[in-house]
Amino acid sequence: MVSSANHRWIITGCNGNLGKALCLLLGRRGLPVAGFCRPGRDVTTLVSAGVPCHTYDEFAGVVGDGDVVVHCAGRTGTQGSWSEFEKTNVDFSVELSQLVASRGASAFVYVSSIAALGYANRSGQDTLVEDDLPVLGRGESYGKSKHLAERRLAELCGSGSMRLVVLRPGLVYGSSGGDEPRVERPPPVLDPRQRVPLVHVSNFADAVVLSAEVAGPVATYNVVDEEQPCLSDLNRLKHELGRLTGLPRKVSRGRFAAAYCARALVKKLLGRPTPARGTLDAVLRFHGRRSLYTTMALREATGWRPLVSLVAGWEQMAGCALRPSGWKPAAPRRVGLWWSGERLADAALARVASNGGPVEIIAEARTSEAVLEAQRRRHFDCWVVLADVADDLLRAIRAMAWGCRDVCIVHTTEQQKAGLLGTKIPGVALRFGDS
Ligand SMILES: NC(=O)c1ccc[n+]([C@@H]2O[C@H](COP(=O)([O-])OP(=O)(O)OC[C@H]3O[C@@H](n4cnc5c(N)ncnc54)[C@H](OP(=O)(O)O)[C@@H]3O)[C@@H](O)[C@H]2O)c1
């Protein structure tokens, strides 16, 4: 579905999880790809897939006019001091971007993270947009370094001819192919209502390719999938698909912290690297995060839609299909209601929006402009549309569907239904509810 261009796609950190997957996925789409990593790293899968791999000392000789550099290399996780995070995620990224600009590259795609906004929950705000101020607490060195890198890169690239695209993926999952399905033991859970903003690697690859074409000096986009499940729903899905041996147990904050400290002590005794000061605070914040993220900026600028859904992505990971009766999210569906004249009763709404499951109506709108505006600021699981809202229902649904996969239309006439049934809107599961 993505556009292709004649330039090359240069991927740094090509031996890492994401870098390797991007090399393979972009290569399979027929795009010319080259990978970069440090010397002595294992790149056999890439080389046998026909992806040329180089080390960073060859960078200036390989990168050239019009290339797009996707900077995936980075220090991740919670281990390490601030200066280690700063050196890799800020200094190295800035140096590389300057080198890339001097070689005439057309775009530098910086793979940041939603961690750049911080994982603290904001009171009164459930959804984060790109230009929200970060709230980064003690121990969030990873997020802080990502945010600082974004700022430094924007200062440098804003005035030059090379475009800067900052992508902030959620937790990337999914396989680029060939992996054996893994079965895991259920980890202890601190907060079952923790939100897990995932992005399937193939959806992320689409975002990389589409966003590199965006005009303008600097652009920043959140990249998360449509469904942003809470942890208990995600674990039930994984269990249903045989990826977890059982359902996780909820533990108290004290027990969670004690287990974390015990693991750190064991590492210390074994002479392994231990977490820096303040990391426990950051870990507790991470395991209690409840924010959701909008992706309207990316969708509007590039036409991106996450084509691999949560269920399809995990079925692919598990190598099997979900039983039809298998899994339904228990968390309330966040529903938008678009109506003009008669408003449906809440019970009827609940039925059409989630087959009787819990529903939370988070916005009501009476015009397509109001629907779009709502979607820019909040995350919706489903929109319920009363068919009398617009003369041109299909056009209206197309516009609305930029923000939401699940669109349920009620009160349709037979003629409207026949018209809509024959139409495919990419990335949208159109449903008809009864009236
Ligand atoms: N995976 C996710 O869920 C996710 C989510 C959000 C953002 N991201 C971002 O995506 C990028 C890739 O993540 P990943 O999950 O693929 O991580 P990963 O598997 O740990 O790979 C990290 C890559 O960065 C390289 N790297 C680390 N330190 C380096 C240094 N000092 N100099 C040069 N290269 C260095 C590693 O090379 P070595 O093997 O030589 O150390 C490796 O190639 C990171 O920037 C991360 O912040 C990932």
Side-chain angles (χ1 to χ4, degrees):
M1 59 83 49
V2 293
S3 67
S4 65
N6 292 328
H7 53 67
R8 263 177 324 166
W9 296 81
I10 308 288
I11 317 283
T12 69
C14 69
N15 64 313
N17 290 324
L18 184 55
K20 182 161 130 192
L22 283 180
C23 286
L24 292 171
L25 289 171
L26 267 50
R28 252 176 247 151
R29 293 171 191 199
L31 300 175
V33 180
F36 277 83
C37 62
R38 293 196 273 192
R41 302 309 192 252
D42 178 10
V43 288
T44 42
T45 316
L46 292 179
V47 172
S48 37
V51 176
C53 293
H54 308 269
T55 52
Y56 293 110
D57 51 1
E58 299 169 82
F59 209 78
V62 174
V63 178
D65 243 11
D67 287 344
V68 172
V69 173
V70 184
H71 184 39
C72 253
R75 188 179 189 96
T76 58
T78 51
Q79 304 275 354
S81 63
W82 163 247
S83 63
E84 287 171 303
F85 276 100
E86 188 180 32
K87 194 164 158 236
T88 304
N89 291 350
V90 186
D91 301 344
F92 178 46
S93 305
V94 165
E95 272 166 38
L96 203 72
S97 77
Q98 287 177 316
L99 180 60
V100 166
S102 73
R103 301 296 306 151
S106 61
F108 188 76
V109 179
Y110 178 59
V111 182
S112 181
S113 164
I114 54 168
L117 286 178
Y119 287 127
N121 295 319
R122 273 84 152 165
S123 78
Q125 187 186 9
D126 57 27
T127 311
L128 300 184
V129 283
E130 282 79 355
D131 53 8
D132 276 329
L133 287 177
V135 181
L136 288 152
R138 207 167 111 93
E140 289 188 70
S141 300
Y142 172 62
K144 271 184 202 165
S145 64
K146 287 291 188 186
H147 187 253
L148 185 57
E150 290 183 4
R151 275 187 18 220
R152 295 276 305 280
L153 290 169
E155 283 160 15
L156 286 167
C157 298
S159 52
S161 59
M162 183 180 75
R163 282 172 283 120
L164 170 69
V165 179
V166 174
L167 296 182
R168 290 184 186 150
L171 191 67
V172 184
Y173 83 107
S175 157
S176 49
D179 299 339
E180 280 295 307
R182 272 206 329 259
V183 181
E184 293 159 16
R185 280 177 45 206
V189 166
L190 180 62
D191 177 6
R193 289 172 63 200
Q194 175 197 325
R195 286 284 177 168
V196 193
L198 297 163
V199 57
H200 189 274
V201 68
S202 168
N203 294 336
F204 185 67
D206 287 344
V208 167
V209 175
L210 291 168
S211 65
E213 312 289 334
V214 169
V218 181
T220 301
Y221 303 119
N222 296 334
V223 195
V224 297
D225 284 350
E226 189 73 52
E227 304 92 344
Q228 300 176 45
C230 71
L231 185 58
S232 58
D233 280 340
L234 178 63
N235 282 332
R236 281 195 305 105
L237 173 62
K238 286 160 82 171
H239 182 239
E240 189 61 40
L241 285 164
R243 292 269 309 190
L244 283 181
T245 53
L247 283 172
R249 207 164 37 89
K250 180 178 171 348
V251 294
S252 70
R253 201 176 157 86
R255 253 184 109 156
F256 193 90
Y260 176 85
C261 294
R263 279 197 302 274
L265 184 64
V266 171
K267 279 184 190 163
K268 192 171 176 184
L269 294 173
L270 292 172
R272 297 213 190 117
T274 50
R277 268 172 180 278
T279 308
L280 175 59
D281 291 350
V283 168
L284 290 171
R285 226 172 284 129
F286 179 83
H287 286 275
R289 68 199 198 276
R290 293 190 177 178
S291 293
L292 300 156
Y293 299 83
T294 58
T295 51
M296 277 295 280
L298 177 65
R299 290 168 189 248
E300 286 189 311
T302 68
W304 177 80
R305 279 174 191 179
L307 297 182
V308 181
S309 69
L310 179 75
V311 168
W314 282 100
E315 284 181 335
Q316 189 196 76
M317 293 280 283
C320 64
L322 200 60
R323 283 180 291 148
S325 59
W327 176 82
K328 275 198 195 94
R333 304 213 76 205
R334 296 161 53 87
V335 172
L337 173 62
W338 185 7
W339 59 292
S340 61
E342 177 203 358
R343 186 197 194 285
L344 281 183
D346 283 356
L349 254 180
R351 199 172 60 238
V352 296
S354 68
N355 301 327
V359 166
E360 188 190 351
I361 300 167
I362 60 166
E364 297 191 27
R366 303 189 73 143
T367 62
S368 53
E369 292 77 26
V371 171
L372 279 173
E373 194 44 38
Q375 294 191 130
R376 278 192 195 104
R377 286 178 287 106
R378 304 196 75 183
H379 165 75
F380 292 84
D381 293 316
C382 173
W383 273 90
V384 177
V385 187
L386 270 73
D388 62 350
V389 293
D391 295 340
D392 184 352
L393 188 59
L394 186 59
R395 196 171 53 85
I397 290 166
R398 273 214 176 94
M400 182 187 62
W402 285 116
C404 187
R405 169 187 296 271
D406 185 4
V407 177
C408 186
I409 307 164
V410 291
H411 281 184
T412 36
T413 62
E414 284 309 313
Q415 198 187 0
Q416 281 174 321
K417 209 167 180 172
L420 289 169
L421 274 175
T423 315
K424 266 207 172 306
I425 307 176
V428 174
L430 205 55
R431 303 191 275 141
F432 295 96
D434 55 28
S435 47

